[in-house]
Every structure is written in structure tokens, then in C-alpha cells.
């Protein structure tokens, strides 16, 4: 049926005179959009009046086009509900061979909206994602709705590329109290998450070919981003005290930048020792190099006093401190921040003003309110307790099921456990077996660039309720044991 | 009073034994934060319980620190309202000379929060900003609040770096109907405004030293951004038909990229003629060059039929179409989009996955709903009528007051008038005089790189209500005539 109509339409088209009448142009745009799958069966079409104003023609012209489309079965009219793409097209389809050779465009197959909705998120082992079930939706929603209702003129204008002043002040206050960082709000930039901060810092600080120390094992995508931006990556080994500064000085003494995770090294969770911190700062002071402190989860520590940030003992002002709301609130926010040494402020401000890519003002306002009203601090305290409990439950579950089959490293903080895999098993093979059961586990060896001998699994615990831990561990054990190795 | 207390505190400090007790550390962090202006007078301090959990010490330890701070006048306690920085500190101040030589940090002056709240927005001539008074707050707020209440698991996770699927589909549908662009949702990327799209495109398409055609006069910041990224900018003149393609081919035939504004050339408002469009596409096809079509305000046309986008006749798939919600909704959203040729999809997706800087999922959801429920189309129709009326009122006001003192070019679209300045007056001087009266006018010559002979003012009309136009024009005339030139 559709085939016949399409043939009739193409017949008409071939007979057309030189100037295509306006109603035919509209008719063809809509028909093409339907056949290309841009307008799916059931999709609402603007009213004739609306469309006429949209494309700048008389309403009657649009009516003429719509009538033709209805007559040909492309559209249906439903009174007050307006016009829609005929739902019947979905079942009949437009067969790819319908008009082969005569009209290429018409032959496009009708299809479902082509884009998958969400990333795979079924696994409880969600890496780098805070507890989604414990997010304080009620408070957050109340503040977001209130903020939406009080949309101000300043929310509408181009935002300050450096970030919303109120949020920068809230972050500076928070960092002073929670992370021991003495900085003014002027030193705080709001960024599009950690990656936004890293890309910006690399843009300002690095010339092509400059060498960058990256921890190995470490944050793989960050290294790939810097390499794609023209940096020469020096992979520096880490041990139980964090990055081995002496190895860095031996391998690449004149690097321009070191990217480190002092609170909990990613992914080994090692806390950088004070002597390493001082050695790193001394190297940067001596060489005029820069340090990016990626404090992605410094807030989450379950034993002992939290160590202040590396930035808090940075007398030479060589450290750029990068924080993110991805772990403390949620990743979908895409909000982070960068605390700058004072003598870099002007260069970063210039770079941001050229780009003007600050996150939406309104959203920054929601976070500022959430912090200022005390919800942020309360949420972090609750999460610290929750994660400690979930971590314990996972540890207990693993001990009761897999036992000596994994060697747990209980670090003082972080959002995942590091579980050593005893010889002769291989982390990558166990991770692969877990994936076949739907558990998206990561292997430590996947985070190594040059480093060898790392053989462990990363087990995030943030999204594993205490009551599920044992069951999941039993399931994991079955997966691991499914084949001999 | 403060001076005495500060001295007492520093006296205590000099007598301290080697390990600083925890309560003293907390005391000093807070006192330093107050003296450095990070905690301003009146600012709320976390409860002792909250702070204790925050920094991982016993509550009593924090209480001890707070008591000392209260005793010394830094904090005040207000029962259930909690502790605050003493408001009296604001009036007394800490004098810079209070402790010279004895304690540098203490000498920092107490000051107001250091960051200005908003950019200057008092002028009615807001360049590139839609009518703020006519933004449909009610519908927008209702949708934003509804979206906030229905925060989904997928909103919380890391977003798809290419953009929210639902929004990409809405944009593809809109572009098919309103701009004649046949594209699938897969070809649409959501970006952080136009600048985000431009930086991404330059990252993927350009190598250092590659030549880029930029219109002259043109979008100055865009040119500076590409130059900062290592591109060699070829300034190509524009005339009443838009960019002079032949001049571009003569000056830089092997450019990799041309950045153009075909709908309404920025800032001259000229519409690119069909012959120029075809010549530009032919050049790109022949050379394998790319074209970025910056369709920043293609929606706003007041006379004649809207021209379809350049992208709609791009048979060779050389055009990247960049649109933005800055003019159609509001700049503070920081949302734009880029429609890609199919053969570039994989390279752009790789670049975005490394960066993962897509705007917040939730916000993309609000815009998708706003479009899908028909508010977007209605809003654009209302704005087209409003801007036509505001433009007419400004034209009439200028004719009745300044008359022959300006030569108005009435283009078919755009968001500002171009007003030629007759010899011997100079646009930059008139703009400067207007600024002295608080009108932030822009001179066309400020947008020229090599081009000479352009002498005109840019007069945005979007934020000038019809009833104010005449008064503002009288005021402008007075400013222009204030001195002979």
C-alpha cells in the first residue's frame, strides 16, 4: 500500500515544472522526514497554524500539504489532538526494496528512534558512581524546584565563564573546613567535571611535546586525553606510598606536569605518604613544574583522621587542586572545580573567556544552595557511614564465599576494594568471567600502562546494599570457578 | 579589641609544644579562614557534630575549638540558629597594620565576598541576548520543576557524552521541519553552546597551522579561540551577499575549514546568496575542506520566506551545522548542538568519549520536554512577532530623533540593526559616547580584523520594549551630539 503511494508520489515529482510550489516543498520535507525515520509513527506534527508561522507561509499552504499527506496515509488527524504520523506505518514499514532504482530517499527503512536511552547500569559494581539509592532526592528536588521557580535575570544571561560567584564561595568555604585548603573564591573555577578541569589545565599549562607524569596503574582515560592533546606521557610506578617520585625524577626529571591522586591513589587506593608528598612538592618547586591533585574521592575515608589535601601544604603554590561533584553528589551533574595557584589566575581566566563553556548558571545555583543550607555536609556524613557499612558487608561476603581466593587490601578510604588475585589466576580472566554473569568488574591490569605484576580486581561497593552482598559474592564465586584456569 | 585578641592568640601560638592538639588545628583553620575573608561576617558554621564528622575528630574536640573562637569574638552562638562568624567583625575590620612583623596571616584584611555577582546587564542594548522579559518562565519553570521531581536513575549516572538521546531526537525533528535539514538523531551532538561546538570541531578537524577562513568583519572571539588553538586565520571579506568565496579561494585556496554565518552574517546581517552558497560548497567538495555553518539566529527572520540552512543543500556532506539555544531560549543554559556529516561521526564520538563533558543530563531533559510539548515552537513564533515589533519601534525612534545621522540597513532578519555612521563621524567614537551614558553599544569596526571602511553601529533591539524605544533614541542622540567630532 505504501509502495503504491510512494510510486504515485514519485510519478508526480518527475512531472513537476521548474519552480516547486510551497505546499509541495512542505509536503516533501515532512514525507522525507517520515521516510528517513526522523518523524516516527505516532509523532505529533505542529498545527497548520504553527507550521505556517514556522516556515513563513500562509496557513492555507500548509493545510494543502497536510491534506495531501493525510490522503496518502502518512498523517492522521485526531481532532483536538492534532495531526500525527500514522501509527500504521510502524507495522507496515517501508520496504527497502520498495522503489529501488527510482527514488533512493524513499527506500529508507522506517525504524525506531535510533538512539539507545541509557548506558548499561545494571551491574551493582558501578565504578566511580556513588550510591544511587541513597541520593537525597527529596532535599535536592525541593531545592531544584525552588531554584527553577526563582529563575533570575542573571540566570538567563551568559554565565561568568569562571563559574557562579556564589558557588565558588561555597566551594572555597567547604575546602577550607573539610580539606584544609586555604583559598579564596577567586582561586576556584567551576568546571565541567574533572575532565573539564584536566583539559583546561592542559590547554593552559602544556605545549605540544611537554612531558606529563601519570601514575601507573592510573586513570587510563585521563592519560589518553592528555596524549591526544599532544602531551608525552611518562608512566610513573606507584606503590603502597603512592607515586614513586624518585622513579619520576629518574625517568623524566623535566616534566612540566604531574597528575596525582594523593588521597586514595586510583585505582590502588594507596594514600600518598607525607615524605612522598614533600618530595613531589620539592621537585615541582625546583623545576617550576605543576602538579594536578585529583582529589576525586578524598571525602570518603573510613579509618583514621582524614589527611588534609596535598594542596594544603603547597607552600610554593605549584598545586592545582581538582575536585568533582561526581562522587559527592552524582556524575550526571557534570560539575567539578579547580583551585588555582594565584599566579595562574589570569591565564586560566583568559582561556575560559575565549571558551565561555561554564556549566548552566541555574544548575550551579542549585548546588550552591544545597551546600549553603547544610545538605551537602550532612549527605557526605551519611554516605561515609553508609559506605563503611557496605564495604564491611562486601568484605564479609567475600571472606565467607571466596575466602583465600582473593587477597583483600583494606585501604583507609576510597569507593572500591582492591582484591588481589592469587597466582596462577589472572585478574583479566576473572573479570571476563564475571562479565559473562552480568557483573561489570574491572581488572587492575587494565589500568596499567607499563607497570607489570599487578593482578587484582576492583570491587566498587557503593551500590551494593548490605543485604545483597552475600548473594552477589556467592554468584561471583560461581562465575570465577566456572572453568579451571 | 580584635587586635588584642589576635595578639593573645599569637602569643599562645608561639608557646605551643611540638604536636599541635586537634582542637587547636580546628581553631586555627577557622580563624585563618575568617581572617582571609573565606568565611565572611554572618556566615554560618557547621554544627560541632557536623564538623566533628567532617574532619574525623570527637565532637568534644570541636566544641573546645568553637568555645575558644566564641571567647575570642570570632564566632557567635545563636541557639537553634547555630554558630556564625561574628557580624561585628564586618564593621570593626582587622586592620592591616594590626600585627605587622608578628603574624603575616593575621594581617589579612577582612573583606566582602570577593566575587562580583553578575556581568553588567543594565544596558538595553544587550548583544546576542534574547528578550529576557518575554521568556516563558511559567511553562519553563513548570517543566523544570516536574523534571526535578522525576529525577531518574539515568539522570544520575555519567551522561552519554554525545548528548541525551531524547534531546538529540527532538533537535533532529525540529531541524527537519524548521531548517530543512535532513539528519538523523545520531548525527546530532549536544554541546556546551556554540563555543563548545566550535572547540570540539577544531579539535577533531584541524592540525596546528591549518588555515581557517573566518568572515571579516566577523565573530571576533571565535577567531581568537581558533587562533589560540593553533589555527592560521585567513580573514575573508564579506559583502551584501555574505562571505566573498572568490576572495577566499584567491587568498587561501587550501584552507581546511571555513566558518560562516549564512542566514544572517554576523555582524552585518547579510544573507548569503544562493550563488555564494553553491560556490562555497563547490570549493569544499573540490578541496575536501569542511564548513561550519554557525546558524546562531537563523530562526529570526521578519521578511520573506526563511531560507533553508546551507546544510540543507549540502550534497557532498561537507557542512557541520552548529545551532544554539542561547538565542532561542537563553544564554545561561549553555546548550548548543552540532549536526555532523555521517563520515565524521566516529571521530567526534571518540573525541567526546575522552572528554565526557556533555552538559548535565537533567537540563537536557528539560529542553527536550520543552520542545516535545510544543512550547519551543510557540515561543519562537511569539518571539518572531515581538522582535519584528521591537525592531520597527527602534527604527521609527531612530528616524524621528537621529534621522539622517544614521543610515539604517534593514536586513530581513537578525537580532540587531546595522546603522551606518555617515562621514566624518566614526562608529567607535559614537559607541564610546553612548557608553558614557550607560549604553553598551558596539561599533562594527571593532569586529573587523583586516577589513577597512566599515563604519556602523550595532543596535540590538531584543531587549528594548516598544514603549521605551523613542526615549532611548532621544538619549542616544544627546550622547552622540555631546561633543563635536
Amino acid at each position: 500500500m505504501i509502495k503504491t503511494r510512494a510510486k504515485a508520489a514519485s510519478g508526480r515529482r518527475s512531472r513537476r515544472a521548474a519552480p516547486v510550489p510551497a505546499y509541495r516543498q512542505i509536503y516533501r520535507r515532512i514525507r522525507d522526514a517520515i521516510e528517513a525515520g526522523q518523524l516516527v509513527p505516532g509523532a505529533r506534527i505542529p498545527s497548520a497554524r504553527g507550521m505556517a508561522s514556522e516556515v513563513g507561509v500562509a496557513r492555507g499552504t500548509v493545510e494543502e500539504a497536510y491534506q495531501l499527506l493525510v490522503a496518502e496515509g502518512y498523517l492522521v488527524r485526531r481532532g483536538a489532538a492534532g495531526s500525527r504520523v500514522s501509527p500504521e506505518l510502524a507495522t507496515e514499514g517501508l520496504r527497502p526494496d520498495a522503489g529501488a532504482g527510482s527514488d533512493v530517499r524513499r527506500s529508507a527503512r522506517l525504524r525506531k528512534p535510533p538512539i539507545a536511552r541509557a548506558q548499561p547500569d545494571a551491574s551493582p559494581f558501578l565504578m566511580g558512581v556513588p550510591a544511587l539509592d541513597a541520593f537525597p532526592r527529596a532535599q535536592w528536588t525541593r531545592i531544584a524546584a525552588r531554584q527553577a521557580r526563582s529563575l533570575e535575570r542573571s540566570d538567563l544571561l551568559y554565565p561568568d565563564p569562571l563559574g557562579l560567584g556564589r558557588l565558588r564561595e561555597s566551594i572555597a568555604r567547604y575546602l577550607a573546613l573539610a580539606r584544609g585548603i586555604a583559598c579564596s573564591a577567586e582561586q576556584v573555577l567551576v568546571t565541567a567535571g574533572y575532565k573539564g578541569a584536566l583539559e583546561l589545565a592542559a590547554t593552559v599549562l602544556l605545549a605540544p611535546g611537554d612531558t606529563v607524569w601519570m601514575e601507573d596503574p592510573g586513570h587510563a582515560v585521563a592519560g589518553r586525553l592528555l596524549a591526544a592533546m599532544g602531551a608525552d606521557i611518562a608512566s610513573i610506578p606507584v606503590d603502597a606510598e603512592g607515586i614513586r617520585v624518585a622513579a619520576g625524577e629518574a625517568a623524566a626529571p623535566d616534566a612540566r606536569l604531574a597528575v596525582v591522586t594523593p588521597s586514595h591513589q586510583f585505582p590502588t587506593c594507596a594514600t600518598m605518604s607525607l615524605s612522598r608528598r614533600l618530595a613531589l612538592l620539592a621537585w615541582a618547586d625546583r623545576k617550576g613544574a605543576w602538579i594536578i591533585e585529583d582529589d576525586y574521592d578524598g571525602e570518603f575515608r573510613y579509618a583514621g583522621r582524614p589527611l588534609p589535601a596535598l594542596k594544603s601544604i603547597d607552600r610554593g603554590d605549584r598545586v592545582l587542586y581538582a575536585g568533582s561533584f561526581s562522587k559527592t553528589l552524582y556524575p550526571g551533574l557534570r560539575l567539578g572545580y579547580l583551585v588555582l595557584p594565584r599566579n595562574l589566575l589570569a591565564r586560566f581566566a583568559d582561556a575560559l573567556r575565549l571558551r565561555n563553556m561554564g556549566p548552566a548558571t541555574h544548575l550551579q545555583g542549585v548546588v550552591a544552595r544545597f551546600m549553603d543550607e547544610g545538605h551537602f555536609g550532612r549527605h557526605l556524613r551519611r554516605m561515609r557511614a553508609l559506605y563503611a557499612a557496605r564495604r564491611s558487608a562486601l568484605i564479609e561476603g567475600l571472606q565467607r564465599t571466596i575466602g583465600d581466593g582473593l587477597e583483600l587490601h583494606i585501604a583507609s578510604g576510597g569507593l572500591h576494594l582492591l582484591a588481589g588475585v592469587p597466582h596462577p589466576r589472572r585478574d583479566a580472566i576473572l573479570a571476563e568471567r564475571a562479565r559473562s554473569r552480568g557483573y561489570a568488574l574491572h581488572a587492575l591490569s587494565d589500568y596499567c600502562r607499563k607497570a607489570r605484576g599487578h593482578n587484582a580486581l576492583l570491587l566498587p561497593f557503593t551500590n551494593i546494599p548490605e543485604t545483597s552482598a552475600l548473594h552477589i559474592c556467592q554468584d561471583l564465586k560461581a562465575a570465577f570457578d566456572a572453568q579451571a584456569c
Side-chain angles (χ1 to χ4, degrees), chain A:
Chain A
M1 186 172 87
I2 294 293
K3 188 174 166 184
T4 319
R5 277 177 193 135
K7 199 173 278 175
S10 87
R12 272 190 217 107
R13 185 182 299 180
S14 64
R15 273 186 271 109
R16 75 177 193 271
V20 183
Y23 87 93
R24 288 291 304 183
Q25 291 182 31
I26 295 167
Y27 158 84
R28 274 169 52 185
R29 267 196 201 179
I30 295 176
R31 218 200 53 184
D32 287 353
I34 293 172
E35 290 181 0
Q38 292 159 358
L39 287 171
V40 296
R44 211 160 70 173
I45 303 291
S47 69
R49 186 168 143 269
M51 174 70 103
S53 157
E54 194 77 58
V55 300
V57 298
R59 181 174 166 174
T61 308
V62 178
E63 275 293 347
E64 206 172 344
Y66 279 18
Q67 281 166 13
L68 186 56
L69 289 159
V70 170
E72 293 190 349
Y74 285 93
L75 298 187
V76 290
R77 292 212 149 150
R78 292 258 170 84
S83 302
R84 291 180 183 274
V85 178
S86 170
E88 289 171 23
L89 293 178
T91 44
E92 293 178 339
L94 291 176
R95 286 196 301 280
D97 59 340
S102 71
D103 187 345
V104 169
R105 188 179 285 271
R106 179 162 44 86
S107 72
R109 186 196 290 273
L110 252 200
R111 51 198 157 90
K112 295 279 166 212
I115 302 204
R117 204 44 51 92
Q119 65 197 94
D121 64 347
S123 173
F125 294 107
L126 276 172
M127 193 74 185
V129 176
L132 298 178
D133 57 340
F135 183 72
R137 286 160 183 272
Q139 291 100 316
W140 180 263
T141 298
R142 191 169 43 73
I143 289 176
R146 200 184 342 143
Q147 187 80 358
R149 281 192 298 274
S150 67
L151 198 69
E152 290 171 19
R153 186 179 161 90
S154 59
D155 291 329
L156 299 177
L157 291 168
Y158 282 94
D160 185 335
L162 280 61
L164 181 69
R166 191 149 44 87
L167 179 58
R168 295 166 72 191
E169 288 163 13
S170 302
I171 293 170
R173 270 198 299 274
Y174 165 72
L175 292 177
L177 295 174
R179 307 295 296 128
I181 297 173
C183 64
S184 74
E186 279 145 321
Q187 290 171 267
V188 179
L189 304 180
V190 180
T191 65
Y194 171 60
K195 295 275 198 59
L198 184 66
E199 186 176 21
L200 176 68
T203 299
V204 174
L205 300 177
L206 299 180
D210 278 352
T211 301
V212 178
W213 290 6
M214 299 288 292
E215 297 169 332
D216 186 12
H219 190 328
V221 182
R224 282 170 49 213
L225 172 59
L226 294 184
M229 292 176 76
D232 184 20
I233 305 299
S235 298
I236 312 300
V238 299
D239 61 19
E241 293 185 61
I243 191 167
R244 288 178 49 208
V245 177
E249 291 190 275
D254 296 321
R256 282 295 293 155
L257 176 67
V259 183
V260 293
T261 49
S263 291
H264 314 120
Q265 200 274 331
F266 184 83
T268 67
C269 295
T271 298
M272 194 186 295
S273 66
L274 184 59
S275 63
R276 290 279 172 84
R277 290 176 189 231
L278 294 173
L280 183 63
L281 292 171
W283 164 77
D285 281 345
R286 204 164 56 243
K287 295 287 189 176
W290 301 106
I291 298 166
I292 293 180
E293 174 177 23
D294 172 11
D295 198 33
Y296 65 103
D297 70 351
E299 286 83 359
F300 299 111
R301 198 170 173 90
Y302 317 109
R305 185 86 58 79
L307 270 181
L310 176 66
K311 178 69 189 164
S312 72
I313 56 167
D314 170 32
R315 302 287 169 236
D317 233 4
R318 309 306 307 172
V319 176
L320 292 79
Y321 174 93
S324 166
F325 290 108
S326 290
K327 316 287 188 274
T328 51
L329 291 171
Y330 62 89
L333 260 187
R334 305 313 308 129
L335 277 182
Y337 42 92
L338 191 59
V339 180
L340 293 176
R342 284 199 175 274
N343 57 1
L344 288 178
L345 287 178
R347 287 168 64 193
F348 275 76
D350 285 349
L352 279 170
R353 288 196 184 103
L354 275 184
R355 287 163 177 81
N356 198 11
M357 279 171 58
T361 315
H362 164 81
L363 207 63
Q364 298 187 53
V366 174
V367 177
R369 278 200 190 196
F370 195 79
M371 296 181 88
D372 293 347
E373 296 184 7
H375 302 298
F376 186 68
R378 270 193 294 279
H379 174 55
L380 288 183
R381 291 192 294 277
R382 282 182 49 230
M383 288 308 99
R384 239 177 255 126
L386 180 76
Y387 294 160
R390 289 190 171 180
R391 192 173 78 143
S392 296
L394 182 60
I395 290 169
E396 198 192 324
L398 290 169
Q399 285 168 339
R400 285 177 55 186
T401 53
I402 305 181
D404 294 343
L406 290 174
E407 292 159 358
L408 298 185
H409 301 265
I410 315 294
S412 51
L415 298 175
H416 63 266
L417 285 174
L418 194 70
V421 174
H423 184 80
R425 283 182 151 181
R426 304 292 313 153
D427 58 359
I429 293 172
L430 295 191
E432 183 55 44
R433 289 185 187 165
R435 273 195 288 274
S436 71
R437 291 235 173 181
Y439 295 116
L441 280 201
H442 294 257
L444 180 56
S445 56
D446 290 341
Y447 290 83
C448 296
R449 279 179 292 266
K450 295 184 175 176
R452 292 288 167 268
H454 291 280
N455 190 25
L457 293 171
L458 312 181
L459 300 171
F461 45 78
T462 48
N463 280 286
I464 303 184
E466 293 164 71
T467 50
S468 317
L470 184 62
H471 169 73
I472 288 172
C473 292
Q474 289 165 336
D475 220 26
L476 262 192
K477 180 179 165 54
F480 291 166
D481 294 342
Q483 297 158 266
C485 57

